[in-house]
Amino acid sequence: MGKTVLIVDDSNTMRKIVSRALRQAGIDFSTILEASDGQEALDVLSANDVDVVLSDINMPNMNGLEFLKAKSEIAAIKDIPVVMISTETGADIIDEAKSYGAKGAIKKPFTPDLINETLGALL
Amino acid sequence: MTQYNSFYPAMIEAVQQTLENMVFMEVIEERGTPTDIPAAELTWSSMLINDPVQGEIRLAMPAVLLKKISGNVFGIDEEEVTTSQAYDILNELLNTIGGLFMTKLLPNQEYKIGLPSLESGKLPEADEHTVVWHLINSDEEPLKIYAGGESLLTMHTKAE
C-alpha cells in the first residue's frame, strides 16, 4: 500500500520541486500532501494518516523548529518521522532539530536518490 | 591555516548542481565572448551574504529561459507560467545556489545569507569587486551569476 508524505514549505515552488523529486525517488507514495507552514502542517497531520514529513526550517508563522516542538507535544502525531530540508547546514540548527525529534536532514539541492536513501530508511 | 575551496570553480559547481538537481538543466561555462542578454529580456534576482563575509550574489537569465525552466518544474506549458511562478523559481534557484556556494567556500562553518529578492532593470555595472560567471545550457541559452562585495571577494583572494 502506498505511503502518504507531507511536504511543509512556505514556497509553493519548492513544494512542487520536492513533490517531483519524491515521485522520481522510487518510493511508492500514493498521496502527497502539502502545508505552507508549521501550524498548517499540524492541522494536516491531525486530519490525515501521514507516514513521513519533509519540512523546511525557515518559514513564517511557525517555522520548522517550532513545528517539531509543537508536534512532539501532541501524542497522536508525535511519532510521525520528520526530515528537515534546508539550505542551512549549521550543525547547531540540525542538532536543535534532532533534539526536537527530527530523524534527519537533507540539504538543497537534493537528488531523488538522496530522498530515497533518507526516507527509505524511515518507511 | 584555513584552506578555502577555490572561489571560481565553487560557484560553477554550485550552479551546475543546483540546476541539474532542481530543474534538470545542464550548464557549462561559456567559452569565448560572452552572450549578451539585452536588458529588455533580462530577469534577475539578488541576495545578500551577511556573515561571516558580506557581499551580494545575483542570478540573471533571459525571461524566456526562466519561463521554460518554470514550465518544466510545474509541469505546464511555458505559455501558462505566471510571472509569480517564474519569479519564485528564480528566487529559489538563487537561494539554493547561494547556500551551496557558501558551503563549498566554508565547509563545516556556519554562514548567514539573506532572502533573494527580484530586481528589475539593467544589472549594475561589474566593478573590480565583482566576479561574473557566464554559463550556457545545452540550447546555448545564457545565464549569468555575479558575486560582488569587497568582503566576499577576499575569499577569492584567499583561494588563489
Side-chain angles (χ1 to χ4, degrees):
Chain A
M1 185 179 163
K3 305 289 186 185
T4 298
V5 60
L6 169 63
I7 302 167
V8 191
D9 199 306
D10 56 314
S11 162
N12 176 46
T13 300
M14 206 58 225
R15 295 198 301 270
K16 292 288 173 266
I17 290 171
V18 174
S19 181
R20 192 173 64 172
L22 281 170
R23 286 195 295 272
Q24 294 174 335
I27 300 173
D28 182 17
F29 287 112
S30 58
T31 309
I32 299 178
L33 303 171
E34 297 183 12
S36 61
D37 62 36
Q39 183 56 58
E40 196 179 324
L42 292 174
D43 295 341
V44 172
L45 288 179
S46 297
N48 297 272
D49 286 330
V50 173
D51 295 292
V52 67
V53 180
L54 281 169
S55 176
D56 188 19
I57 293 177
N58 293 315
M59 294 180 288
N61 304 324
M62 180 185 282
N63 69 32
L65 297 178
E66 292 165 340
F67 160 63
L68 283 168
K69 194 173 177 185
K71 175 182 155 293
S72 72
E73 294 167 357
I74 303 172
I77 60 173
K78 71 181 176 64
D79 292 328
I80 299 170
V82 179
V83 172
M84 311 310 289
I85 293 185
S86 182
T87 50
E88 301 197 32
T89 55
D92 287 353
I93 200 160
I94 299 303
D95 287 347
E96 193 175 357
K98 287 183 176 172
S99 75
Y100 291 140
K103 297 297 181 189
I106 295 175
K107 186 181 174 308
K108 298 176 198 172
F110 44 80
T111 61
D113 286 347
L114 180 59
I115 286 190
N116 186 315
E117 186 182 316
T118 307
L119 296 193
L122 298 171
L123 294 170
Chain B
M1 179 180 144
T2 303
Q3 293 292 318
Y4 294 118
N5 289 330
S6 186
F7 188 94
Y8 195 85
M11 180 63 89
I12 293 175
E13 287 173 17
V15 175
Q16 287 177 328
Q17 287 176 23
T18 299
L19 293 177
E20 189 171 342
N21 291 335
M22 289 178 71
V23 299
F24 304 104
M25 187 174 80
E26 291 185 6
V27 294
I28 56 170
E29 194 173 3
E30 186 172 18
R31 302 290 177 193
T33 307
T35 304
D36 185 44
I37 307 174
E41 298 171 17
L42 184 71
T43 317
W44 61 287
S45 182
S46 75
M47 184 178 74
L48 294 178
I49 307 294
N50 296 319
D51 191 56
V53 290
Q54 292 75 47
E56 181 183 11
I57 299 177
R58 304 181 195 119
L59 175 63
M61 66 178 77
V64 66
L65 175 57
L66 179 59
K67 284 226 166 187
K68 187 191 292 185
I69 291 171
S70 305
N72 282 340
V73 169
F74 288 101
I76 56 178
D77 289 339
E78 54 196 81
E79 292 80 16
E80 297 172 28
V81 173
T82 65
T83 304
S84 168
Q85 286 173 324
Y87 292 166
D88 278 351
I89 291 283
L90 187 66
N91 284 339
E92 287 294 345
L93 289 175
L94 179 58
N95 182 250
T96 305
I97 289 168
L100 191 53
F101 176 60
M102 293 305 291
T103 300
K104 288 175 184 293
L105 282 184
L106 301 168
N108 305 316
Q109 289 187 54
E110 295 204 23
Y111 58 82
K112 290 195 176 118
I113 56 179
L115 291 173
S117 68
L118 189 78
E119 305 287 349
S120 59
K122 200 177 166 191
L123 279 158
E125 291 290 327
D127 60 17
E128 72 269 28
H129 300 303
T130 305
V131 177
V132 185
W133 291 259
H134 302 278
L135 302 147
I136 51 169
N137 67 8
S138 55
D139 292 328
E140 300 193 353
E141 294 164 302
L143 61 100
K144 301 177 190 301
I145 191 143
Y146 299 70
E150 198 170 349
S151 171
L152 177 61
L153 268 286
T154 60
M155 308 287 291
H156 193 25
T157 308
K158 284 175 180 173
E160 298 286 344

